[in-house]
Amino acid sequence: MGETTKRLRELWKEFECDEDQMVVIPFGPDRIRVAPPTAPAWEALAAVLLHHGYEIRTVETDSYNCRNIKGTKEKSLHSYGIALDVNWHTNPWVDHAGRRKVRFSDKLTQDERADDVRSGDADTDFTKAIIDDALAIKTPSGNTVFEWGGHWTTVKDCMHFEIDLGPDDLSEGIDEQTVVGWEDFLAMAAIGPESGGSIAALEDSPELESAGMFVPAAMGLAPLPGLPGLPPLPGLPDLPALGDLPSPPRLPPLPPLPANGTGAAPSAGPSPVELQVVNARSGLILRSGPGQSFSKIRTLPLGTTVNVIGRDGPWAQVDLQGDGASDGFVHSEFLRAAGVGSPPGSGGPATAPPVASGADILDLVTVDNVKPMFPATSRSNISRNLPFVLSGLRSRALVDKPMVLMALGTIRAETEGFVPISEGRSRFNTAVTPFDLYDAGTRKGRDLGNTVRGDGPKFKGRGYVQLTGRDNYTRIGTQIRQRLVDRPDLANDPTIAGIILAQFLKNKESRVRAALAANDLRLARKLVNGGSHGLARFKDAFRRGVRSLPG
């Protein structure tokens, strides 16, 4: 049996109207602000809506909002970050005479069901199947997670979903076996054109943003009736402008590289690892084997550093994480030696790889010892994204425990869901139009280096570290050899987001290390954020990590 509203206010009291405690997480094409312990629950609800092909309209969907219930002095559950309204125009609040059950439309499409709502023949454009599946979501102990306002008998609030249990009960997580469409939801997160597997990386694409759809056109699904057709995303060839090269005859293995400057071959043993950089302007496709007949895994962006651990003719076998394990094959025609030359338009010559400081613990950092730092975050998100974060840290030689703690604590403070996401709208960045408080001519805009009208929304926060402002996109983009100013959405690509996080910390490394050595976590956080936003989450993650991480 569910909790009363009064009891829910007591259980979630610590989050009441505390916007700083809220986390921004992806919810289909939208970003919602919620209490951290509820994040896995909303992810499960998103999976159900995706399974049913339900369209979310971002301008009609909202979560955290510090306000009273209309006509009362009692706080709405939205004030605690435990309630969400979805598509309020077609799931309206209705005060009807007497008691009655909700009226579902029997129409097949969402547009037709919406017409029934507008004509007064139905209360909601949700189907009974959608609601049944949403309310079937449970914790491992069997507790029902959600209550739906459409089931209230004296009024109908069909837009409204609320968490129906306390944070302690929710802390055990979600029973994935009760979530219809969960595997498809994870599959969507694991694919996506050049996204590296992040739903958040897809959320800024024009296909998703324009139609408010859960599923991009690139996945091969037709748009819902009444919505404009979406153009397919262009494919990237393996070799820029040339397409796939035909596989030449198999060449004999290359001789081992010399061990020193004398030209003498090294003694027998494993082939040396070569540090190489992707030099293809439009990116280089990573394949599952050495040839065009093998499946595409993903596209590695220009400037990506790889470890070549083997060769098969013109194909290089690469390790992306520095752990010696193979991640796939790329055509070596478009690799260059690290430290030699620079990609076109990169803004400067390549530099020598940075030197690490302190004992290297990266190979010992696992999902199991990171999860305690993120008690409200789904294990699946950490599992999908941790490799990109560790790879970025290794590329900037931030491999010791203090800097790993700093990086993970920053993610906890900025994007607790452990996914690279875009900044959500809030009173801190939006007055009238989205992100107008960041725009050129405003005080915050000047601080961020925004000089052109429209820079506010263009250079909003993105990625694991929430990179914000034209100045940061320009400086970091030059340092990591990515055209972030021209393509700011790249900051949500997990591979690039991991490098951005590491580069941001590298730029402040000496001051961050000094702050950590003095146990001044407030200053360490301020060096990244410029203030104290997310400080409580940063401190909590850091102190948990001191216990859970190796070293």
Side-chain angles (χ1 to χ4, degrees):
M1 184 174 179
E3 302 284 2
T4 65
T5 300
K6 179 180 179 181
R7 178 58 178 157
L8 287 172
R9 290 192 188 102
E10 295 171 352
L11 292 170
W12 294 90
K13 179 67 176 177
E14 66 176 295
F15 297 99
E16 181 182 334
C17 289
D18 191 345
E19 186 168 354
D20 190 53
Q21 283 206 71
M22 300 299 145
V23 294
V24 179
I25 63 170
F27 186 75
D30 203 1
R31 276 83 61 186
I32 60 175
R33 290 177 296 165
V34 297
T38 69
W42 301 118
E43 186 176 52
L45 181 60
V48 169
L49 298 184
L50 170 64
H51 174 76
H52 288 276
Y54 185 82
E55 172 199 349
I56 289 177
R57 297 183 294 277
T58 60
V59 296
E60 298 175 35
T61 298
D62 200 14
S63 47
Y64 169 79
N65 188 354
C66 181
R67 61 177 174 83
N68 291 343
I69 297 174
K70 188 175 181 180
T72 76
K73 295 182 179 180
E74 298 290 345
K75 282 286 184 281
S76 161
L77 294 184
H78 289 275
S79 302
Y80 303 83
I82 63 171
L84 175 68
D85 290 342
V86 179
N87 291 0
W88 47 68
H89 286 157
T90 53
N91 296 299
W93 188 87
V94 177
D95 187 1
H96 52 76
R99 294 175 176 268
R100 66 169 176 84
K101 294 182 177 180
V102 65
R103 297 172 301 163
F104 290 104
S105 169
D106 60 0
K107 299 299 192 300
L108 294 179
T109 71
Q110 187 174 344
D111 279 352
E112 291 175 314
R113 296 193 299 271
D115 286 339
D116 279 354
V117 174
R118 296 184 188 101
S119 65
D121 296 322
D123 296 313
T124 177
D125 68 352
F126 291 120
T127 64
K128 184 176 185 300
I130 293 175
I131 297 305
D132 287 348
D133 286 342
L135 300 185
I137 298 170
K138 298 182 184 299
T139 66
S141 297
N143 293 315
T144 298
V145 173
F146 290 107
E147 180 174 324
W148 180 53
H151 279 165
W152 299 342
T153 57
T154 56
V155 297
K156 297 291 173 285
D157 195 5
C158 295
M159 70 184 85
H160 184 85
F161 293 87
E162 64 185 49
I163 301 295
D164 202 27
L165 67 174
D168 289 344
D169 288 329
L170 199 55
S171 66
E172 62 178 321
I174 301 297
D175 180 359
E176 296 173 0
Q177 299 301 314
T178 68
V179 183
V180 170
W182 183 248
E183 293 301 323
D184 290 338
F185 182 77
L186 292 183
M188 179 181 175
I191 63 175
E194 284 70 68
S195 72
S198 169
I199 292 176
L202 292 174
E203 66 180 340
D204 281 335
S205 72
E207 288 74 25
L208 286 175
E209 199 68 40
S210 61
M213 294 289 290
F214 262 120
V215 187
M219 296 188 71
L221 300 182
L224 294 177
L227 293 175
L230 303 177
L233 292 174
L236 288 175
D238 285 283
L239 304 181
L242 298 176
D244 280 327
L245 294 174
S247 297
R250 182 65 58 86
L251 299 177
L254 294 176
L257 295 175
N260 51 47
T262 67
S267 59
S271 298
V273 173
E274 306 169 54
L275 193 64
Q276 301 273 317
V277 177
V278 172
N279 200 31
R281 188 183 302 279
S282 58
L284 191 59
I285 291 178
L286 180 70
R287 292 185 180 273
S288 59
Q292 298 163 27
S293 60
F294 290 91
S295 61
K296 298 178 181 179
I297 298 174
R298 59 169 297 150
T299 299
L300 304 180
L302 172 68
T304 300
T305 300
V306 301
N307 297 288
V308 176
I309 58 176
R311 293 184 182 272
D312 192 337
W315 297 89
Q317 187 178 23
V318 298
D319 160 25
L320 301 180
Q321 300 182 34
D323 59 2
S326 174
D327 290 290
F329 291 79
V330 297
H331 202 288
S332 58
E333 179 77 13
F334 288 87
L335 293 176
R336 63 171 175 81
V340 177
S342 61
S346 66
T351 57
V355 178
S357 173
D360 185 344
I361 71 164
L362 290 188
D363 289 343
L364 304 176
V365 178
T366 66
V367 176
D368 286 337
N369 52 43
V370 170
K371 181 65 176 75
M373 300 175 64
F374 292 79
T377 303
S378 69
R379 185 182 180 87
S380 60
N381 279 4
I382 299 174
S383 178
R384 287 195 298 268
N385 287 277
L386 182 60
F388 301 112
V389 173
L390 298 181
S391 179
L393 292 176
R394 186 170 294 285
S395 75
R396 297 305 183 264
L398 302 176
V399 299
D400 56 303
K401 186 170 182 177
M403 295 309 291
V404 174
L405 286 170
M406 184 69 198
L408 295 176
T410 297
I411 295 175
R412 171 82 187 277
E414 299 283 357
T415 55
E416 183 153 2
F418 214 114
V419 290
I421 62 173
S422 294
E423 182 178 2
R425 295 184 293 273
S426 74
R427 63 185 176 90
F428 298 107
N429 57 43
T430 299
V432 180
T433 60
F435 302 97
D436 56 359
L437 296 181
Y438 286 177
D439 227 334
T442 66
R443 182 182 61 80
K444 289 182 180 178
R446 286 191 295 272
D447 291 343
L448 294 169
N450 291 336
T451 57
V452 179
R453 186 175 179 84
D455 276 359
K458 182 176 182 180
F459 299 116
K460 62 186 176 183
R462 291 183 179 89
Y464 298 118
V465 73
Q466 292 293 277
L467 189 71
T468 310
R470 178 179 284 272
D471 275 358
N472 279 324
Y473 277 78
T474 300
R475 180 173 61 257
I476 299 292
T478 298
Q479 290 174 320
I480 70 171
R481 300 179 180 87
Q482 293 291 337
R483 294 182 175 273
L484 296 181
V485 169
D486 298 327
R487 295 187 60 192
D489 57 295
L490 285 176
N492 274 339
D493 178 286
T495 299
I496 297 175
I499 298 172
I500 289 172
L501 170 64
Q503 185 64 58
F504 199 93
L505 295 178
K506 190 70 178 178
N507 291 345
K508 301 173 182 290
E509 181 181 6
S510 60
R511 286 179 290 168
V512 167
R513 287 189 182 279
L516 296 180
N519 198 29
D520 191 344
L521 298 185
R522 176 179 290 274
L523 175 58
R525 175 65 187 146
K526 186 176 182 180
L527 288 169
V528 173
N529 176 254
S532 60
H533 175 77
L535 178 61
R537 295 192 298 273
F538 174 77
K539 286 182 174 180
D540 182 66
F542 197 97
R543 289 164 179 163
R544 287 170 178 265
V546 168
R547 297 190 297 269
S548 68
L549 292 187

